[in-house]
Amino acid sequence: SDIPSFLEKTRPSSELASSIINGLEVSLRNMLREEGRKRLGDNYIDIIPSNVQTSARRKLVNEVNESIPSNEDLFSYLEFSDYTKIILDENNWYCSFSNVFPSKEWIKIKLNEIKPIRNSVFHSRRITKDQLERLRLNSADIINKVEGRTRKS
């Protein structure tokens, strides 16, 4: 049948892409938690704007209602587009992220370029070599800025 040959053709690039995306998302979530704790202490969750918190809480509650044990915090229930909303939030930008990223436009463009590639990967659609390379470069750029902030402080 066609399924094994399809998997063979897509597995290497999609596994690599999935790994890159997971690394990026973990890095972003860790940065958000750390910046939140630095600025807000025990109320670090409040770095997440209230409308985004509501959406993430709904997902967390659904898991609990479905008896899926979760020891994850709200950051684990963010959608990819939420990272942009959190980072570009006026207060967050000026208090935390203007020192991490070159500009609002820079991080917005990088995350917007990654988003459709991420969605293709996690919805089992093929990605091109060019998309994989763009994902790799944009993710590396973001992770370098995120990791660079820990060396500065």
Side-chain angles (χ1 to χ4, degrees):
S1 103
D2 286 340
I3 292 174
S5 64
F6 171 79
L7 289 176
E8 285 307 312
K9 288 178 192 157
T10 60
R11 186 178 296 130
S13 66
S14 63
E15 283 181 4
L16 176 57
S18 180
S19 173
I20 291 168
I21 293 162
N22 285 330
L24 173 64
E25 291 201 44
V26 167
S27 178
L28 286 169
R29 283 195 305 264
N30 287 340
M31 174 195 69
L32 294 173
R33 280 186 196 99
E34 290 164 13
E35 292 297 324
R37 283 191 180 106
K38 216 188 295 182
R39 230 176 70 221
L40 305 165
D42 289 343
N43 298 323
Y44 70 98
I45 239 69
D46 290 337
I47 199 167
I48 304 173
S50 60
N51 61 327
V52 177
Q53 278 192 38
T54 301
S55 168
R57 266 196 213 338
R58 202 172 300 127
K59 289 185 210 121
L60 175 62
V61 167
N62 286 342
E63 271 198 13
V64 170
N65 288 343
E66 293 172 16
S67 300
I68 300 169
S70 178
N71 58 355
E72 299 287 334
D73 64 13
L74 220 49
F75 291 94
S76 297
Y77 293 89
L78 296 173
E79 294 183 4
F80 193 79
S81 59
D82 293 337
Y83 300 128
T84 305
K85 294 172 191 165
I86 296 166
I87 292 167
L88 298 184
D89 172 85
E90 284 303 309
N91 198 33
N92 289 341
W93 178 257
Y94 290 108
C95 294
S96 297
F97 303 115
S98 60
N99 294 326
V100 177
F101 303 111
S103 70
K104 283 183 172 187
E105 215 38 45
W106 185 91
I107 189 61
K108 188 177 180 180
I109 288 168
K110 297 277 182 195
L111 291 172
N112 284 343
E113 278 192 24
I114 291 169
K115 186 180 175 187
I117 300 167
R118 181 211 180 272
N119 290 344
S120 289
V121 169
F122 288 123
H123 292 282
S124 302
R125 294 187 296 263
R126 290 183 187 182
I127 61 168
T128 65
K129 287 180 180 169
D130 179 58
Q131 287 174 309
L132 180 62
E133 186 62 10
R134 249 182 306 146
L135 171 66
R136 193 184 66 69
L137 292 171
N138 284 321
S139 295
D141 287 346
I142 293 170
I143 289 171
N144 285 336
K145 297 294 181 196
V146 168
E147 289 177 354
R149 90 186 203 296
T150 55
R151 288 191 294 271
K152 285 182 201 164
S153 44

